[in-house]
Amino acid sequence: MRKYAVIYRSVLLEHLQYAGNIALGFISYFFIIFVLIHLWEYMYESPDELISGYTKVQMIWYVMMTEMIWFGARSSSVTRQASADIRGGNIAYLMNKPYHYTLYILAKYTGEWSIQLPMFAVLSSIMGITMVGKIPGFHLLTLLAAVPCIILGITINAVFKLCISLLSFWIEDSNPFQWLYDKLILVVGTIFPIEIFPAALQPLLKLTPIYTVCYGPAKLIVDFGTGKYVEILSAQILYLFIGCVLMFFLYAKGVKKLYVNGG
């Protein structure tokens, strides 16, 4: 694990030098949240009205938290680098390094979002308290409990996106699949909580990574419950295990394909 810690630290220090550029991404986040705040203020007739079990303050904070995770954890490492390495042939060089390629990508990605996400968290918290107010019933212990779920959600998302990139061993371009996956995560669970959708679809959505990536962590922040916490954390551990098994399987099959075809 020491070699992956070295990769993580090197990427972390590198991105610290570009913290100013990362902060510029908050402009897009600000405008999106500004629009969504006014959209939900229009949807709610009164602050105490409930829509799918959410008050107006809870709904706005939910969207702010999911968008914070979405913007703060964005990276090209798991979206484009693996796919480009495979298509360009650089994978033949990297797979002989003294580390597992997929874990190298994940360590690099973790170093990137370790800078981005805290910045977006601080800025979005200031924006939320200023424009919306505090979350009712929110405690510091709620945040401490939700942090592991946020980290697990980001990691699960990265693992599945890396699995899609590894499809480049067999197909020419995996970007269309990345686009479909991103839009599914963005619409279902990020812009809208699962409770907004028809009751017949909700059990199905809870069986997908959508439940563990953005919805789960944000739900815990705005409406924490011990039972819900155990449920979400258990689902995340299960999905992380499934995703890692799939990731290692696809990589092993892809590498074997390269060896059979002579690299």
Side-chain angles (χ1 to χ4, degrees):
M1 294 299 294
R2 183 178 298 177
K3 49 182 173 288
Y4 301 111
V6 172
I7 295 170
Y8 168 80
R9 286 197 301 270
S10 63
V11 174
L12 186 71
L13 292 174
E14 178 184 348
H15 276 67
L16 277 173
Q17 301 177 20
Y18 302 101
N21 292 337
I22 296 172
L24 291 176
F26 189 72
I27 297 174
S28 299
Y29 174 84
F30 175 84
F31 282 113
I32 290 173
I33 294 301
F34 183 81
V35 171
L36 290 174
I37 286 175
H38 285 80
L39 172 64
W40 285 113
E41 285 182 343
Y42 175 78
M43 297 286 288
Y44 281 86
E45 293 182 359
S46 68
D48 296 327
E49 181 187 0
L50 294 178
I51 295 180
S52 299
Y54 292 80
T55 64
K56 182 176 75 171
V57 173
Q58 286 179 320
M59 185 66 79
I60 293 174
W61 270 103
Y62 172 88
V63 175
M64 291 185 65
M65 291 298 99
T66 54
E67 291 290 343
M68 176 201 76
I69 296 172
W70 181 264
F71 275 84
R74 286 194 303 182
S75 170
S76 62
S77 294
V78 293
T79 304
R80 291 188 291 271
Q81 181 177 342
S83 179
D85 286 340
I86 295 170
R87 293 200 313 270
N90 196 38
I91 188 68
Y93 167 75
L94 292 172
M95 69 185 188
N96 292 316
K97 291 287 187 177
Y99 49 69
H100 198 282
Y101 176 75
T102 59
L103 297 181
Y104 157 74
I105 292 293
L106 290 177
K108 181 179 178 182
Y109 170 68
T110 304
E112 293 173 355
W113 69 253
S114 293
I115 296 297
Q116 296 173 182
L117 188 62
M119 292 178 62
F120 274 90
V122 172
L123 293 172
S124 61
S125 297
I126 295 172
M127 182 178 174
I129 293 173
T130 302
M131 300 182 67
V132 183
K134 296 181 179 180
I135 304 172
F138 180 82
H139 301 285
L140 181 59
L141 290 176
T142 300
L143 179 60
L144 295 176
V147 166
C149 289
I150 293 174
I151 295 173
L152 281 172
I154 292 172
T155 305
I156 291 168
N157 187 49
V159 167
F160 278 97
K161 287 179 72 65
L162 188 51
C163 286
I164 296 173
S165 293
L166 292 175
L167 294 177
S168 296
F169 278 115
W170 295 274
I171 60 178
E172 183 176 350
D173 187 7
S174 63
N175 286 330
F177 297 100
Q178 294 281 7
W179 186 87
L180 288 172
Y181 174 83
D182 284 343
K183 294 303 174 285
L184 183 63
I185 295 290
L186 183 62
V187 174
V188 185
T190 302
I191 296 178
F192 303 105
I194 289 177
E195 291 87 352
I196 288 287
F197 295 88
L201 288 178
Q202 291 180 24
L204 179 62
L205 294 176
K206 289 182 179 181
L207 295 175
T208 67
I210 294 168
Y211 184 70
T212 62
V213 174
C214 287
Y215 167 83
K219 175 69 174 178
L220 292 174
I221 291 175
V222 302
D223 187 19
F224 185 85
T226 304
K228 178 64 70 174
Y229 178 71
V230 173
E231 178 184 324
I232 291 171
L233 192 61
S234 300
Q236 287 181 322
I237 293 171
L238 176 62
Y239 261 100
L240 182 60
F241 174 76
I242 294 172
C244 287
V245 169
L246 180 61
M247 179 183 71
F248 289 130
F249 173 78
L250 290 173
Y251 180 75
K253 286 291 184 181
V255 169
K256 183 178 179 181
K257 180 175 180 292
L258 282 182
Y259 282 129
V260 170
N261 294 329

